[in-house]
Structure formats: C-alpha cells, structure tokens
Amino acid sequence: MRPVRHGLCQVADKKGSGEVRVALVGCPNVGKTSLFNALTGSKQYVANWPGVTVEKKEGVFLHKGFRISVIDLPGTYALDYNSLDEKITRDYILSGEPDLIVLVGDSVNPEQSLYLLLEIVEMEKKVILALTAYDEAKKMGIKIDKYELQKHLGVPVVLVSSITGEGLEELKDLIVDYSARKGVLHKVHLDYGEAMEKRIREVLNNLTDLPIGAPPRYFAMKYLSGDTQFYQEALKSGLPELSEEERIAFKISLSKKKRELIENVIKEAYQSSEEKVLSLSEAIDHVLTHKFLSFPLFFAFMYLVFKFTFETAQVFSDLLDLAFTNLGNLLVERLGENAISSFMADGLISGVGSVLTFVPNIFFLFLAMGFLEESGYLPRAAFVMDRIMEKFKLSGRSFMSLLLGFGCNVSSVMSTRVIDDPKERLVTILISPFMSCSARLPVYLLILRIFFPHASAALLFSLYTLSILITLLSSSFINWLFYRGRSSPLIIELPRYRFPTFRNLYLYTWNRGKHFLKKAGTIILLASIAIWFLTYFPGNGNVEESFSASIGKALTWIFKPFDYSWKITLSLFYGAVAKEVIVSSITMLYNFDEVELETARSVLGLEMDPVKAFTFLVFVMAYIPCIATVATIYSETNSLKWTLFSVLYSFGIAYSLSLLVYKIGGLVVRS
Amino acid sequence: MKLFQVTPGVRVKVLRMDLPGDVQNKLVGMGLIPGAIVEVVKIAPLGDPIVFSLNGRNITLRKKEAEGIEVEPVDEVMPLYLAMFEDGEYEVVEMFEGKRFLEKVKKLGIFSGERLTVKNGTLYLKGRPILLGKGEALKILVRGVKG
Ligand SMILES: Nc1nc2c(ncn2[C@@H]2O[C@H](COP(=O)(O)OP(=O)(O)OP(=O)(O)O)[C@@H](O)[C@H]2O)c(=O)[nH]1
Ligand SMILES: [Mg+2]
C-alpha cells in the first residue's frame, strides 16, 4: 500500500484570531500529561502506568502573541467506539472543537502511535506528530529520521522530550504556524487495494446525504467495519445490513493494511543498533516478576514504604510537635487563661496543629507512593497479583486502583474509570474505602504511641493487613450478594521501567501533600473551630458542661457494647467529616499536648485499656468513608443507592469487626 | 496450537482469534490481529496471567483469553513440547544438558538428527510410541521436516 498525495494546500496569509485550541491525543502512558505540563507549566498528575489521566484537563500557554489552549485527554490505543475513553476522545476530535491535534507518540515504540495517527488522518483532521520521550530513544541508540516520517505520513513531525525540554520550542512554533495555515499539509489518502477500495466506493455512491460529523470516506470505512456508532447511523440512513463476518473481516483488513504501511515507514525512518542485549528493563523485570522472588519482594517493598513513613518521618514529626506545643504554651503565658487564649491554643493550635504534626509522615508516604508509581512497578505488581485477585473476583487492574488507596481513597475511586468491566469497576469503588488511606495514619500513630509505645510498628502493620483483608473479602461478599459473575480480563501494557526523576517525585509528593495541607487549612480548621466552640460553651471551658458533652452523651448508646466514653464516641462522630478530625477532637476534648505522652496516657488511660484502644483503631480503619470519598463515590457511580450502601456497609463491617476484636482481645488479656 | 500453550521465548504468528467481542476489540485495537507476530515473554509466578510482546510492547493477558487465540510457530526450530501440538515429521536438532536426562533419551534411542513423528498428540520414534514429560520435551529442540 502506498500513500497517495492530494496536493499541497495553500498557506494562508490570514492572521490567526490569536486563539488556538490544541488537543493532545495518544496511547496510554506515552507522556501526554508530561508534555501538557511542559507546555503549559501545569502540575498535573503524571505516573508510569497506563490510565493515569481520567478526565479532560485544560491549560494555556502564550506563544508569539497567540493564546494556545491545550487539552489533555485520557489515553487510548485506538479510536473505535468501544470503551469510554475511546468514545470521549473520538467525539472530541470529531466535534471540530480543537483547531489542531497533537498526536503524542512514543519515540521508542512508535507502531501503535502511528496507527492512531493514521486514524486521525482518516478523520481528515489537522494533526502534528510529536514523538516524545526522545531522550530515551537517544539513550537506546535509536536514530529517527523525522523528514522520512513526514514524507510518508504527510504530517509535520517533531521529536520532543518533556524531561529535557528538547524540541518544545519547535513544537510551539509548529503549533502556531500550522494552525494558521488553511487546510492540512498534504492530504494523505491510504490506498487499501482494489477490492477494498471498490467496496468503499460503492458505499460512497449509495450515500444519499452526507453523514454528519464525519468525513464520507471515514464514515464508509467505519460502516463497513461495523463500528458501534457509525454502523447504526448508516443503517438509519438507509445503507444495507452487513453480515458479522464481513464486518469483522473488513475491520481486520483495514487494520492489517495500516500496520503494513506503518511497518514500512518505520523501516525507512528508524535505525537502531541491532544487537539485542538483555536490556536493563528486562533484567529488572526478571527479578521483580520472578517465580519465587516476586512475592517476598513485593512484601519487602511494602514493609519498607511503611517503615519509611513510620520511622524515618517520625523524627520530623516530633520536631513539629514540640514546636506546636511550645507555641500553644507561649500563647497561654502571654494572654493568660481566657476564652481567647483557649481558642487559639486549644482550638486552633491543638486542633489543626495536632493534625499538622503528621505532615512529615504523610509526605514521606506520598514520596514512597510516587516512587512506586513512577518507576513502573505498579503494573508489574498487578501482573504478579492477578491470580490472587481473581480468587476475590477482581483483577490485577483493580489491584492497582486499590493500592493507590493507601494514599487517598478519592484517587483510587477516580482511577477505577479505566476498568473496562462495569461490574468490576463498581465493586472496586465500593471496597476501596477500606484501604487504609493516609488520613487515618495520624489517628493510628497518636493512639499507638500512647498505648503501645513498644509494639506500635507491629500493630500498625497488622492494621494495614487487616484493611487489605477486609477489602478483598468485601469484594467476594459483594460479588456473592449481587453478581456471582466472572472477573474481567487483564489486558495491561507494561511500561518501561523508569528511574523517577527528582522533579517528578517532587511534583508528585507536593501535589498530593498539598491536598493534605489544604484540607488542614479548610475542613480541619473549620471543624476545629466548630469543635472548640461546642466544647468551650456554654460551660466556659468546663468540658463536662459543654454542648459537646450533651451530643456525646446522647450518642454513647451506639457504642454500648464497647463501653466507649462520650468523648471517644464524639470523636468518631466528628471524624465522619475527615478522619484527621478524630485527632483534633481527641486532643481538644482531653486537652493534652501530644508531646506529653505521659499526660496523654494518664488521661486517656482512665477510660481506655490497650484492648479498647486497639478496638477503636480497628473501628477507625473501617468505618464510613470521609465526606470527600462519599461524594466521589456518588459522582462516579451516579447512584444514591450504591453510595448509601457503601456508607452503611462499611459502618456495619467496622462495628462487627471491632466488636469481634474487642471480645477476643478481652479474652486474651483476661486469661 | 493456542497462545496459552506456547512456552516463553518462542515466537508465534497469530492465525485466528475467537474471543468475546469486547476483549477481541480491545486486542485488535492494540494490534493483535491475524498475521501479527508475538512472543510469550513471561508467565506469572502463579501460572497465570502471561505477558506477550507485540512490536516491542509487553502486554498482559490471562490464560483464559489466550485460549481463544490460535497461533503457529514462526521459527523452524522449536522445543519438542510445542511440536507435539502439530502432527508431522520432526528432526532432532539439539538437546540440552542434564546428565540423567541425556542418559534417558539415549536409552530411548533419541539422538541429534533422529526423525520423530507426532500423530494425534503422541510421539513416535521409528513407529514406537514414546512418553516424555513436559520438562523433558522442553529440553529437546526439533525442526519440522517438510513432506
Ligand atoms: N524519559 C522520559 N520520560 C517521559 C517523558 N514523557 C513522559 N515520561 C514518563 O512517562 C510516564 C508516563 O507519562 P504521563 O505523562 O503520565 O503519560 P500519559 O500519556 O499522560 O498517560 P495516561 O494519562 O495514563 O494516558 C511517566 O513516568 C513520565 O515520567 C519524556 O519525554 N522522557
Ligand atoms: Mg495523562
């Protein structure tokens, strides 16, 4: 097959309106968002696994007097109409909204990217090919002749790297110049050979009126290959039905011809050092997915992450703690004991400060998660774990989403969008709040340090293990309740390993950590102020006579079997807003500074023994998702029923599980 | 032979695919079409899923789906284990190390250059049926003989 050119289009001398809309389209994980960030200076979420971006994102940059809006789209391998991503992307391209499309392709393995490019060329859209990760191609000794690519594909080509910045200026220039041109560089018309061309011509001749929203030739080909969208439209407009075999055969022939062309183009334009040595990526892979090593390594990594956030970060946490305590004491000293000093010291500093002390732990956790996501290990872990997940009616893909939940449940719920199977997706959404997120960490650390100063690491680990178990068993249970179906297939492209750059890690950690800081400055601050008022009035500082006391005492019946005091009950109630608020509530209600573990131990110790304290943590681990997660579950499932289910189910599980722990713990300790 | 039967390191060509619509669409979109050359790169520690490489990219697939993909070896030389899926005449090219193993095959009368016949999944040497374990069949490399 050879491309036939339809002549060069004239260059328009007309000045652009000054506004250009550019859509970034490409396969999953090629580096669209990285390019988006590099062009617009944004700090969107980038990671080394397919399916990171799940929403359209828009950013702007100025170049040569033009205002260029860039739209980052979710990645797709093809532009059929099968998955949600494909639908979103294709609709957007065909809508005519973008003036120009930048096809972001992989420099190292361009085949699939070029396939996508040809699809867009057939949609007769103006498109630039930006082959990204050029730095990696160079490192591997791959030589790319961009003029050769340009010649065969009929579109402008740039080689770029979002990491080194190479080619970015060229791309910007090209975007401005090319969008100001009328028409495309040259219209490439792929010739599919006489038999297929004849079929296409027949269809075109039978088209009574021109299809809306798609070029006729493209429409005809999509009709012949039984495209979900256009086949139906074609039938409506009077074209005859085709047998399924014919449609599939046509579709596969189209794909085959394109791939043949691409193979030839790559042969012409690519040169690589031939000898195939065991690459570093393969060597690492060999060890990480090894028959006997993979599981021990996975757990070792998890343990390291855990140790890192728990021990290494603790040094910094202790320093912050000291600072906040001293600040509080200083204020009281200066202002004397009154409502204002109490508001500042007990309300603001104790409430928000107690949560802020955990910033180092949380940042360290995100740093470790960033490493996990950026290195490319995450999808490998999914591959290794798939068999186990299958036992719980899940797949390695949902494993990836769930693992993200250790950071934040909201992001794990969001990331389920790429799960193709709707049932598996729903189940993953419903179980993901059980994964113990970073917001629960402060509560664990506070209580464990008070009650189990010598065994806190082991108990923390057991809490996390428990959270994973509950998550998995819940999947079996929910599946048993509602579906009893099969689990969906696992088709994931494994990315190249990448050593995370300092900048990427910093961006990742800061983006995630910033969210936590924001929360401390908004929800937790407001909650602390509210709690302070409720706790200070009307007793003027006497906690036992406060509004809080009335609310708390009215709620204690809920935890009758556990014998929780009203303060503990109330902290759980307030904690429904965000789990960190539990920490604020406890420090305020009991009025202690964290640094004084001894005082804390003596006040809390009056009401709780170690068994009760651990039961409390089990409850905190499992009980209702925070408000942000509930809202996300609602917006992602679009169903009040499932949202309610999630809340009630988790409460039920938390209650029965902690009751079990309480009873067993009681037996063990008493005997 | 089906893709899930292929051992790592052997390159095969896709002949037919018979999969549920959504899975087939996704794989076709990713470039897995009849005529494509793939290689099974790795089998997961617990035996499932597998990773195959397609045009330099590594893609995971569960065995259940790999059962629906009919393939044939590309290279002339392949492990005897794979040859057992396809009736025909084969010539022994090479045998891997292993003292006990070499002794056993010697006893059976299998040497380099020897002709073997596969019929209905059973192996014959000079008309005599021979039983070999999977591990053993993997250690013997054979080449298909035309005619
Ligand atoms: N070396 C190198 N790595 C890159 C480059 N561009 C992206 N990456 C890495 O490639 C991985 C994927 O990048 P993303 O920008 O998240 O890819 P994406 O196309 O947005 O992915 P999805 O949103 O999942 O479709 C990340 O690990 C990036 O650090 C580049 O130019 N050079
Ligand atoms: Mg992205």
Side-chain angles (χ1 to χ4, degrees), chain A residues 25 42 54 107 227 290 295 365 400 437 490 493 512 523 555 583 605:
Chain A
V25 177
S42 324
V54 290
S107 293
D227 181 84
H290 187 270
F295 285 100
L365 174 66
M400 281 167 61
C437 69
L490 180 83
E493 183 178 343
R512 292 306 177 89
I523 295 188
L555 292 172
V583 169

Side-chain angles (χ1 to χ4, degrees), chain A residues 555-565 568-570 572-573 619 623 651 655 658 662:
Chain A
L555 292 172
T556 40
W557 61 271
I558 301 176
F559 294 103
K560 198 87 210 152
F562 302 93
D563 227 7
Y564 284 165
S565 70
I568 295 294
T569 309
L570 193 67
L572 288 172
F573 178 69
F619 191 83
Y623 92 122
F651 191 84
Y655 202 90
S658 44
Y662 188 53

Side-chain angles (χ1 to χ4, degrees), chain A residues 30 49 61 100 128 156 178 210 239 274 304 313 334 337 384 392-393 434 476 502 521 535 583 601 604 615 665:
Chain A
V30 284
W49 49 273
F61 71 94
L100 182 66
I128 294 174
Y178 199 44
L210 286 182
L239 287 171
E274 262 312 311
L304 273 180
R334 286 283 159 89
E337 295 263 1
V384 168
F392 299 96
K393 300 270 191 282
F434 288 119
S476 300
F502 180 75
T535 313
V583 169
R601 207 165 286 147
L604 267 177
T615 314

Side-chain angles (χ1 to χ4, degrees), chain A residues 82 94 120 163 174 200 212 393 403 440 452 465 555 650:
Chain A
N82 296 317
L94 285 174
I120 296 174
I163 300 276
L174 203 57
I200 297 174
I212 324 159
K393 300 270 191 282
L403 215 56
R440 277 165 253 192
F452 307 94
T465 314
L555 292 172
S650 51

Side-chain angles (χ1 to χ4, degrees), chain A residues 112 289 386 420 488 492 494, chain B residues 26 29-30 42 45 58 60 62:
Chain A
Q112 189 68 27
T289 58
D386 182 66
D420 289 329
S488 59
I492 306 177
L494 300 180
Chain B
K26 181 150 186 182
M30 290 174 98
K42 184 176 296 275
N58 287 336
T60 65
R62 282 191 179 154

